[in-house]
């Protein structure tokens, strides 16, 4: 039970709201300790007089919504015997949805021993609970009951129908390293419970739904899960003491995107072909201009539905640190995660659950966290750049990757653009690629006056396609102003805006060239949590500008001017807000450090033994004057410096750390053991 109060210095503290939250499945087991992130709606109980008969009033208890609560719970010392199942006593007066996970059958083998360590996660109404892990079993039996409180302010069929109908079920294989392999998905509707006959099972009288569901996206086609579901206490009644019966919801095609997006995509691509035929031809030969992607359940989603501003822990506000954290998550292809030959985009919730994924899964989480930090962040779709060597002539050529590649882009107020490549854990900076947000007020006013004067002789349609360049000349009836773009007038050909005649050799933009070229061949689209934009310029990411709101450079998918503004619910995220775990405590970090160090030493011993080489690991002394100079301590110091340099936000700090690293190299040489094994 969580209670929230309003503090009163003199009088009695007033209760603002409360929430009852079952803790089963909420805690992350850290060995000796455990922690949980709680996210729930608050309820407020009070009494009021209502007219029950004409002229007769009685006090009735009413429950109203009262905001949300987010909290962090930590168990400092885990008990010797952990309680499994539902570690809560069902409260009187509270209605629950009960689910018993009975068993799973014919699960695929995921471990080297030929078995799997299965457990089940159930999700409903932003609440999540999980079963215990049944080790080394392809047909695990759980017989575990999970309870979800039904938080309604007024019990009626209409109000209950507003709740999420589908209970989402995921089956995982537990791995000791903290990652999980997904074994399959299943779901059922709460309306199915009220369609059952009343019966008594295990001393409980209710309408029981007993069901065996085949697991989707599972390597074993015969894998299934058996469960029971009911409402407790029975019957589920409204405020008039009449039992609530739920009707089946209207059937929707969950696998395919709404037809209005498909229709709009045709118009959008036709507009791209008319505005920029050359860019359209080149992009179509590769991945084209995508506007949707399939999620982990093979459901097609509009691209902005994958993004939402996601708040991370309060102590994680440095974007470099956010990027570093996500880049450390294990990379694993869709083929290995979902046994899928196609390209599946995982929601951040699913990605954090299994703690592994490919490049778009990493990029989605990075972009969401950047948006949560109020950073102007976008996802980029295009192709990477790879070298290909001819086996006969040994000629090396640069070509695009066969598969579409995804990365993150952020725009800074100084007009620069940064690409964040999570697969390489690297950043690539491009200077002066958009106007930025640091223009002086006087310059802005002058720009407005010039634009107004320049547009007097233009039609409304021409105003929409006004381009700005560095000279004050007329070029193709387009007025040019230096404060809006950073190109010279003779660099127009490289833009490729509607240009279909120039060759690749003629495309040479004199933009500020980066010190390190980003590893991308082409950029076709960018999107954030609101819209998708197609690139109408040169597809080379280094040779184009990122004025996203400029319709000459980027064509929007959702456009009020073109009559396509979908309803808000069609572009909302399709997943529940995931919780980003806080940093590990120092004692837990020290324990992990020790375990990793032992694993590294063991790996070195095994490797040298396999090559029949002598192995001697120089261990630091437990006490002694020379302990600080031991190579292990020196290496740790170097790693900390390298990490600090990677996360440094300014050049001065980075240069300072680089100087310290140079002096550290001398310490490393001095600390080397006297006898070196080869």
């Amino acid at each position: 039970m969580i209670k929230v109060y309003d503090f009163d210095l003199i009088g009695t503290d007033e209760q603002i709201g409360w929430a009852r939250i079952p803790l089963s499945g909420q805690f992350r087991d850290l060995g000796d300790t455990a922690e949980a992130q709680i996210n729930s709606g608050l309820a407020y109980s009070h009494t009021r007089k209502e007219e029950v008969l004409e002229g007769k009033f009685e006090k009735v208890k009413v429950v109203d919504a009262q905001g949300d609560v987010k909290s962090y719970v930590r168990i400092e010392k885990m008990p010797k015997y952990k309680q499994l199942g539902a570690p809560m006593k069902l409260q009187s007066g509270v209605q629950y949805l009960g689910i018993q996970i009975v068993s799973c059958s014919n699960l695929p083998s995921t471990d080297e021993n030929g078995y799997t360590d299965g457990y089940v996660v159930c999700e409903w109404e932003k609440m999540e609970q999980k079963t215990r892990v049944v080790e080394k079993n392809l047909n695990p039996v759980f017989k575990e009951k999970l309870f979800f409180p039904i938080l309604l302010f007024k019990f009626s069929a209409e109000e209950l129908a507003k709740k999420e109908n589908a209970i989402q079920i995921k089956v995982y294989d537990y791995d000791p390293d903290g990652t999980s392999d997904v074994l399959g998905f299943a779901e059922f509707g709460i309306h199915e419970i009220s369609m059952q006959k009343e019966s008594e099972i295990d001393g409980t009288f209710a309408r029981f739904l007993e069901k065996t569901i085949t697991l989707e996206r599972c390597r074993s086609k015969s894998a299934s899960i058996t469960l029971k579901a009911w409402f407790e206490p029975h019957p589920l009644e409204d405020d008039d003491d009449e039992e609530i019966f739920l009707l089946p919801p209207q059937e929707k095609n969950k696998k395919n995107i709404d037809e209005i997006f498909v229709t709009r995509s045709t118009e959008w691509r036709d507009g791209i072909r008319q505005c920029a035929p050359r860019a359209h031809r080149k992009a179509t030969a590769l991945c084209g201009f995508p506007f949707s992607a399939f999620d982990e359940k093979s459901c097609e989603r509009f691209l902005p539905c994958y993004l939402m501003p996601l708040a991370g822990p309060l102590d994680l506000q440095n974007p470099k640190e956010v990027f570093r954290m996500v880049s450390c998550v294990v990379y694993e292809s869709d083929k290995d995660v979902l046994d899928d030959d196609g390209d599946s985009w995982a929601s951040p919730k699913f990605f954090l659950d299994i703690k592994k994924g490919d490049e778009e899964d990493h990029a989605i989480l990075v972009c969401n966290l950047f948006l949560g930090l109020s950073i102007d962040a976008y996802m980029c779709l295009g192709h990477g750049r790879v070298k290909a060597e001819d086996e006969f002539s040994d000629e090396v050529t640069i070509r695009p990757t066969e598969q579409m590649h995804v990365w993150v882009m952020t725009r800074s107020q100084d007009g620069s653009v940064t690409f964040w490549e999570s697969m390489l854990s690297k950043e690539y900076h491009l200077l002066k690629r958009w106007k930025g947000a640091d223009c002086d007020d006087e310059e802005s006013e002058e720009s407005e006056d010039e634009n107004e004067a320049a547009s007097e002789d233009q039609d409304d349609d021409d105003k929409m396609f006004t381009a700005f360049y560095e000279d004050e000349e007329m070029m193709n009836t387009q007025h040019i102003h230096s404060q809006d773009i950073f190109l010279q007038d003779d660099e127009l050909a490289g833009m490729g805006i509607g240009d279909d005649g120039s060759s690749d050799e003629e495309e040479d933009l004199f933009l500020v060239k980066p010190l390190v070229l980003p590893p991308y061949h082409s950029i076709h689209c960018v999107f954030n949590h609101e819209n998708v934009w197609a690139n109408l310029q040169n597809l080379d990411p280094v040779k184009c500008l990122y004025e996203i709101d400029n319709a000459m450079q980027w064509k929007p998918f959702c456009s009020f001017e073109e009559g396509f503004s979908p309803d808000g619910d069609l572009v909302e995220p399709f997943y529940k807000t995931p919780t980003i775990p806080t940093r590990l405590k120092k004692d837990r970090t020290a324990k992990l450090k020790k375990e990793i160090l032992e694993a590294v030493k063991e790996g070195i011993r095994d490797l040298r033994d396999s090559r029949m080489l002598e192995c001697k690991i120089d261990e630091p002394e437990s006490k002694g004057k020379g302990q600080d100079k031991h190579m292990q301590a020196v290496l740790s110091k170097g790693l900390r410096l390298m990490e600090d340099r990677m996360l440094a936000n300014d050049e001065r700090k980075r240069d300072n750390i680089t100087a310290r690293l140079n002096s550290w190299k001398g310490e490393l040489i001095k600390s080397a053991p006297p006898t070196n094994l080869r």
Side-chain angles (χ1 to χ4, degrees):
M1 169 72 79
I2 296 177
K3 297 181 180 180
V4 181
Y5 289 89
D6 173 47
F7 174 73
D8 195 330
L9 183 62
I10 301 176
T12 305
D13 297 343
E14 181 181 357
Q15 186 179 118
I16 297 174
W18 56 268
R20 284 195 184 96
I21 302 173
L23 297 181
S24 175
Q26 298 283 348
F27 280 94
R28 183 167 62 129
D29 194 344
L30 303 177
D32 296 335
T33 62
E35 63 179 22
Q37 296 281 347
I38 304 299
N39 186 1
S40 175
L42 282 176
Y44 175 60
S45 304
H46 61 97
T47 58
R48 70 183 181 200
K49 287 187 177 181
E50 288 190 358
E51 190 174 12
V52 293
L53 295 173
E54 186 175 356
K56 184 178 180 181
F57 294 84
E58 289 185 0
K59 289 184 177 181
V60 296
K61 188 174 182 180
V62 181
V63 179
D64 294 325
Q66 195 78 350
D68 300 309
V69 61
K70 295 182 179 179
S71 62
Y72 168 77
V73 182
R74 179 177 173 85
I75 299 176
E76 290 294 342
K77 186 172 178 59
M78 292 292 287
K80 182 177 180 180
Y81 301 102
K82 301 175 185 178
Q83 185 177 3
L84 300 174
M88 59 172 291
K89 181 179 180 181
L90 302 186
Q91 303 291 326
S92 60
V94 179
Q95 195 76 46
Y96 294 90
L97 166 64
I99 301 174
Q100 184 181 32
I101 305 299
V102 180
S103 62
C104 293
S105 301
N106 302 319
L107 295 180
S109 170
T110 55
D111 296 336
E112 295 179 356
N113 56 18
Y115 294 101
T116 189
D117 305 324
Y119 68 97
V120 180
V121 176
C122 293
E123 297 179 15
W124 184 68
E125 281 292 306
K126 297 184 180 180
M127 294 177 283
E128 179 182 291
Q129 297 192 55
K130 65 180 72 171
T131 66
R132 69 186 188 279
V133 177
V134 177
E135 297 180 348
K136 299 179 182 179
N137 202 322
L138 300 181
N139 299 282
V141 177
F142 299 96
K143 292 186 178 179
E144 194 163 339
K145 295 181 180 179
L146 310 174
F147 291 93
F148 295 88
I150 303 174
L151 300 176
L152 280 179
F153 313 123
K154 180 181 179 181
F155 270 87
S156 65
E158 293 78 12
E159 292 297 322
L160 187 57
K162 295 178 183 178
K163 291 285 187 181
E164 191 175 345
N165 181 69
I167 291 92
Q168 305 290 337
I169 299 172
K170 301 173 186 175
V171 183
Y172 293 101
D173 166 62
Y174 174 78
D175 289 326
D177 62 359
T179 61
S180 297
D181 296 318
V182 62
L183 301 180
F185 303 91
E187 67 175 51
F188 69 94
I190 59 174
H191 71 278
E192 300 179 54
I193 300 175
S194 57
M195 299 168 61
Q196 308 302 312
K197 294 182 179 180
E198 295 178 318
S199 60
E200 184 175 349
I201 299 179
D202 298 333
T204 301
F205 185 76
R207 297 184 185 275
F208 282 94
L209 170 67
E210 300 183 77
K211 193 169 187 176
T212 298
I213 310 172
T214 301
L215 294 179
E216 298 180 2
R217 304 298 297 271
C218 185
R219 294 180 177 87
S220 172
K221 302 304 180 184
S222 59
S224 63
I225 183 171
T226 301
L227 54 84
K228 299 176 184 176
W230 67 98
F231 293 118
E232 188 168 325
H234 176 75
L236 179 63
E237 296 179 333
D238 58 18
D239 293 342
D240 297 328
D241 296 334
E242 295 184 2
E243 186 172 1
I244 297 175
F245 291 93
L246 294 174
L247 297 176
Q250 293 182 350
E251 291 189 6
K252 295 182 180 180
N253 190 343
K254 296 182 179 180
K255 297 296 183 182
N256 297 325
I257 198 170
D258 197 293
E259 191 62 32
I260 65 171
F261 290 102
V262 179
T263 304
R264 169 58 183 166
S265 68
T266 303
E267 301 172 354
W268 183 55
R269 287 165 177 155
D270 288 343
I272 297 170
R273 184 173 61 251
Q274 293 173 9
C275 294
R278 188 163 180 245
H280 180 273
R281 185 175 66 254
K282 287 188 174 183
T284 304
L286 298 170
C287 69
F289 297 97
F291 70 97
S292 65
F294 289 90
D295 66 8
E296 65 269 13
K297 296 183 180 179
S298 297
C299 299
E300 189 177 9
R301 309 287 187 182
F302 186 42
L303 290 179
C305 296
Y306 285 91
L307 299 181
M308 64 185 297
L310 180 59
L314 295 177
D315 57 352
L316 194 64
Q317 302 297 314
N318 181 356
K320 289 178 176 287
E321 200 168 357
V322 170
F323 178 62
R324 173 71 171 149
M325 177 194 73
V326 179
S327 299
C328 290
V329 179
V330 176
Y331 175 89
E332 197 159 310
S333 67
D334 293 329
K335 177 66 177 177
D336 295 328
V337 173
L338 296 167
D339 194 26
D340 187 0
D341 293 327
D343 192 17
S344 297
W345 289 33
S347 66
K349 178 72 172 62
F350 180 73
F351 177 60
L352 289 170
D353 284 343
I354 64 175
K355 300 180 181 65
K356 63 180 74 172
D358 59 6
E359 67 268 14
E360 65 264 11
D361 306 332
H362 288 77
I364 290 171
L365 182 57
V366 169
C367 193
N368 280 334
L369 290 170
F370 281 177
L371 291 171
L373 294 175
S374 300
I375 296 174
D376 190 14
Y378 302 83
M379 295 268 290
C380 301
L381 307 181
H383 285 264
R385 189 179 67 243
V386 295
K387 292 182 179 180
E389 184 176 348
D390 188 277
E391 59 179 337
F392 299 106
S393 63
D394 294 333
E395 181 182 0
V396 177
T397 58
I398 304 297
R399 61 175 179 81
T401 55
E402 294 182 0
Q403 300 295 327
M404 180 179 69
H405 188 67
V406 181
W407 67 96
V408 176
M409 175 186 75
T410 56
R411 301 194 305 174
S412 301
Q413 292 186 350
D414 61 359
S416 64
V417 165
T418 302
F419 294 144
W420 305 77
E421 179 51 59
S422 56
M423 294 299 95
L424 301 176
S425 299
K426 289 185 178 181
E427 310 157 35
Y428 301 91
H429 303 282
L430 301 177
L431 300 178
K432 294 187 177 182
R433 288 312 193 274
W434 71 298
K435 286 185 299 185
D438 289 339
C439 298
D440 295 333
D441 294 338
E442 294 181 1
E443 293 182 357
S444 299
E445 291 176 3
E446 290 178 7
S447 175
E448 291 177 5
D449 294 339
E450 291 174 355
N451 290 341
E452 289 177 6
S455 60
E456 288 178 356
D457 298 330
Q458 288 184 325
D459 296 329
D460 292 340
D461 292 338
D462 294 333
K463 294 178 185 177
M464 204 174 131
F465 294 98
T466 299
F468 303 98
Y469 296 88
E470 196 156 314
D471 279 357
E472 294 295 330
E473 314 178 346
M474 294 282 294
M475 180 177 292
N476 297 330
T477 70
Q478 296 171 349
H479 295 281
I480 305 193
H481 299 283
S482 60
Q483 66 271 18
D484 294 302
I485 210 166
F486 305 96
L487 297 180
Q488 302 291 336
D489 55 354
D490 58 350
E491 298 162 353
L492 174 61
M495 290 294 296
I497 301 176
D499 179 17
D500 197 33
S502 60
S503 64
D504 288 340
E505 289 77 7
E506 295 172 348
E507 295 183 358
D508 185 17
L509 292 180
F510 294 95
L511 295 166
V512 178
K513 295 184 179 180
L515 295 175
V516 179
L517 289 175
Y520 310 122
H521 175 273
S522 59
I523 179 170
H524 300 198
C525 297
V526 299
F527 70 93
N528 61 9
H529 58 301
E530 296 175 343
N531 206 349
V532 183
W533 293 267
N535 185 9
L536 303 180
Q537 311 164 79
N538 190 313
L539 296 185
D540 188 339
V542 177
K543 295 183 178 181
C544 61
L545 299 172
Y546 296 92
E547 294 286 356
I548 304 299
D549 295 328
N550 188 333
M552 285 194 62
Q553 299 173 17
W554 298 90
K555 184 174 180 60
F557 189 93
C558 301
S559 173
F560 182 78
E561 288 80 6
E562 297 183 19
F564 184 76
S565 299
D567 296 335
D569 58 338
L570 294 178
V571 294
E572 288 181 349
F574 60 92
Y575 53 88
K576 299 295 183 286
T577 305
T579 301
I580 308 298
T582 57
R583 295 177 189 267
L584 294 175
K585 301 299 180 181
K586 288 185 178 180
D587 55 346
R588 176 62 175 165
T589 305
K591 183 178 179 181
L592 284 175
K593 178 182 176 182
K594 184 178 179 181
E595 292 175 355
I596 293 172
L597 186 58
E598 291 300 325
V600 170
K601 291 177 181 178
E602 188 65 29
I604 293 173
R605 293 189 186 99
D606 292 343
L607 177 63
R608 295 188 68 86
D609 289 345
S610 65
R611 298 180 179 181
M612 293 182 290
L613 296 173
E614 181 185 357
C615 182
K616 178 184 177 183
I617 296 178
D618 186 31
E619 300 284 357
E621 300 176 4
S622 58
K623 293 181 181 180
K625 296 180 180 180
Q627 184 179 1
D628 292 338
K629 296 299 182 181
H630 187 272
M631 193 173 189
Q632 183 175 312
V634 176
L635 286 172
S636 297
K637 177 182 177 180
L639 289 173
R640 285 194 299 269
L641 288 172
M642 293 176 189
E643 188 77 12
D644 291 342
R645 184 175 64 174
M646 188 180 297
L647 303 178
N649 281 322
D650 57 82
E651 290 295 332
R652 180 178 298 179
K653 185 176 180 180
R654 193 176 296 110
D655 292 343
N656 183 25
I657 298 174
T658 301
R660 293 169 61 190
L661 271 172
N662 291 332
S663 63
W664 165 80
K665 293 177 182 178
E667 296 181 35
L668 181 63
I669 295 173
K670 292 179 181 179
S671 65
T675 54
N676 296 321
L677 296 174
R678 299 190 180 188

